[in-house]
Amino acid sequence: MTPTRTARTLFAAAIAALLACPALLVHADAVTDWNSIALNATAAPPNSILQSRVLAIVHGAVYDAVRAVDQRSAAYAVDLKAPAGTSLDAAVAAAAHGVLVRLAPVQRAMLDAALGTSLSKVADGQGKTDGVAIGSQVAEKLVALRSADQSDARVGFTPKPGAGLYQPTPPHSSPAILAQWGGVTPFVLRSRSGLELAGPPAVASAAFVRDFNEVKEVGARNSTTRSADQTAAAIFWTVQTGVPWHAAARAASAAKGLSVAENARLFALLSMATADSQIVCFEEKYKRPHWRPITAIRAAADLGNPALKGERAWEPLLVTPPHPEYPSAHAVFSGAAEAVLRAFFGSDEVNVSVTFPAVFGVTRTYRSFSAITEEVDNARVWGGIHFRSADKDGSELGRRIGAIVVRDFPRSAPARIDAQLGRQP
């Protein structure tokens, strides 16, 4: 069994244990509790990209539910006003639950149990009743608003032969996935202006030779230069990208003692920035579908470039994901998350340890948000699935996206949503 498959098998077992007992989730407040519940409920989708969309809808609903109660900030998409005395905690729980049961229906039993646990902590009365009502309304409306966001559009992709072009990769040679994702309606971004990338280095360039030689050496399954810690980091980052980043946000929130309203804004920013980062990332991936290291290294002998020493049987440490290489989705996600968290907290400092697979896997400890991004950039090379340029350019793109979301949220819902709501952008 490969390291990637081993990690995923162990992770699935740990998640099953958590889902069977929501009480095991660490309590901080209603927002962070439901952040953990949402991450666990969406562990089943096969990748971070699908999860990022669900989390953005969950935390958009939570934000608008909290805003409906406290009326201290602008609405994101669902502008309601709750009766005086409405319970914030009940509104948060009902909003998150209402989104998740629609978008992760197979987890209905766990989600219903988690809702019951949350509401049992709220005193019975009109405030609780009103909180459930307002949260449920926001969830229903926001899910409806996102229902035509093109996330389920059918977009075909046929790989073309040639040096530098993406091809399905061994061992499974699966068709490329998520070709439609670049056309998904963003959560905050209104324009791609300023988010353009230069593209991967030309195959004949010195930059490509440098990237090629690095990943060939350190990313090989049988590498003699990759350290044990680098191997552990590469395997750790097969985790869905949002898991460590949301853990870092929860740790920073707890250290600062944030309020429910502050957490509602924090996790909406983080979730929407990272969701939008994946939309832009996949538009770039399919705009110029770049080959993966395994394809390049095995084909190098046919390129006629003496600086590139090919190896027909070369294998990466990790199984290569089935989509084009440039830019790295993990890196774009991480750059966006880092930018949001550094801006929100006014600091790069964090103290968080994350274990993957959960409970009994590899534990990574971080003292800064930027250190997480740096490790992601490295880990995808150490795993043999990305060239350095895809990570470096990707994390910088993510930082630009995160800065825009921090600047424009909440009054930058997509134009389509504004039109549906009958308001001016």
Side-chain angles (χ1 to χ4, degrees):
M1 182 176 285
T2 66
T4 303
R5 290 180 180 175
T6 300
R8 287 175 178 167
T9 299
L10 295 174
F11 181 55
I15 287 298
L18 284 170
L19 296 182
C21 186
L24 291 176
L25 300 172
V26 176
H27 175 72
D29 70 13
V31 175
T32 53
D33 277 355
W34 277 91
N35 174 256
S36 294
I37 292 165
L39 285 159
N40 289 330
T42 55
N47 57 60
S48 305
I49 297 88
L50 300 180
Q51 186 185 55
S52 71
R53 173 181 177 268
V54 177
L55 292 175
I57 299 172
V58 168
H59 283 291
V62 166
Y63 172 86
D64 273 348
V66 169
R67 184 264 165 196
V69 176
D70 69 16
Q71 296 288 304
R72 293 180 182 177
S73 57
Y76 166 65
V78 183
D79 191 356
L80 300 176
K81 184 175 182 179
T86 296
S87 166
L88 265 180
D89 286 354
V92 167
H97 175 270
V99 171
L100 288 167
V101 292
R102 290 173 170 86
L103 301 184
V106 296
Q107 300 292 354
R108 181 71 189 243
M110 182 278 289
L111 293 167
D112 287 350
L115 179 64
T117 299
S118 293
L119 294 180
S120 70
K121 301 169 186 174
V122 180
D124 291 337
Q126 192 60 45
K128 180 176 182 177
T129 300
D130 291 339
V132 171
I134 203 75
S136 299
Q137 289 178 58
V138 170
E140 180 179 8
K141 289 179 180 294
L142 190 50
V143 170
L145 288 170
R146 292 296 309 186
S147 64
D149 67 4
Q150 302 302 307
S151 58
D152 59 354
R154 295 183 179 275
V155 175
F157 172 73
T158 302
K160 297 178 180 179
L165 297 178
Y166 176 78
Q167 302 297 322
T169 54
H172 307 301
S173 297
S174 303
I177 63 171
L178 296 172
Q180 84 280 15
W181 211 257
V184 172
T185 303
F187 285 84
V188 174
L189 297 179
R190 288 181 176 272
S191 168
R192 309 290 168 94
S193 177
L195 300 177
E196 301 83 4
L197 291 177
V203 172
S205 68
F208 180 75
V209 171
R210 183 179 61 246
D211 282 357
F212 177 99
N213 288 335
E214 179 188 20
V215 72
K216 179 188 172 189
E217 181 176 354
V218 76
R221 178 182 296 278
N222 59 355
S223 173
T224 58
T225 59
R226 186 181 58 244
S227 70
D229 185 68
Q230 290 170 339
T231 299
I235 294 172
F236 174 87
W237 280 105
T238 60
V239 67
Q240 286 180 317
T241 326
V243 172
W245 280 109
H246 283 264
R250 293 193 303 273
S253 167
K256 295 291 185 181
L258 298 187
S259 67
V260 170
E262 289 170 328
N263 275 329
R265 182 179 181 85
L266 167 63
F267 285 95
L269 285 168
L270 176 60
S271 300
M272 292 186 189
T274 51
D276 280 1
S277 82
Q278 301 303 276
I279 295 168
V280 176
C281 176
F282 273 76
E283 180 185 42
E284 290 288 332
K285 279 180 179 288
Y286 284 97
K287 182 191 299 182
R288 43 190 162 220
H290 195 235
W291 59 4
R292 290 281 183 167
I294 188 172
T295 307
I297 294 168
R298 290 185 176 190
D302 302 325
L303 298 179
N305 184 345
L308 300 174
K309 306 297 184 184
E311 186 177 325
R312 298 285 189 190
W314 187 88
E315 292 186 354
L317 172 67
L318 305 177
V319 175
T320 302
H323 46 76
E325 191 266 343
Y326 181 95
S328 161
H330 266 60
V332 180
F333 188 115
S334 297
E338 177 195 332
V340 166
L341 295 176
R342 292 180 71 170
F344 189 93
F345 290 104
S347 170
D348 190 27
E349 295 181 5
V350 70
N351 185 358
V352 62
S353 293
V354 184
T355 301
F356 173 76
V359 183
F360 46 79
V362 173
T363 298
R364 309 297 293 178
T365 298
Y366 307 100
R367 296 288 184 259
S368 68
F369 300 122
S370 58
I372 304 176
T373 304
E374 181 180 4
E375 183 173 90
V376 170
D377 286 355
N378 286 324
R380 306 309 270 176
V381 177
W382 296 337
I385 59 176
H386 274 295
F387 296 109
R388 175 70 59 183
S389 295
D391 294 322
K392 182 172 178 281
D393 292 356
S395 55
E396 179 52 37
L397 171 63
R399 291 185 189 99
R400 297 203 301 268
I401 293 168
I404 292 170
V405 171
V406 169
R407 181 193 71 195
D408 292 348
F409 180 85
R411 292 313 300 266
S412 188
R416 180 184 60 78
I417 288 182
D418 278 333
Q420 286 178 267
L421 295 171
R423 73 185 188 194
Q424 294 298 314

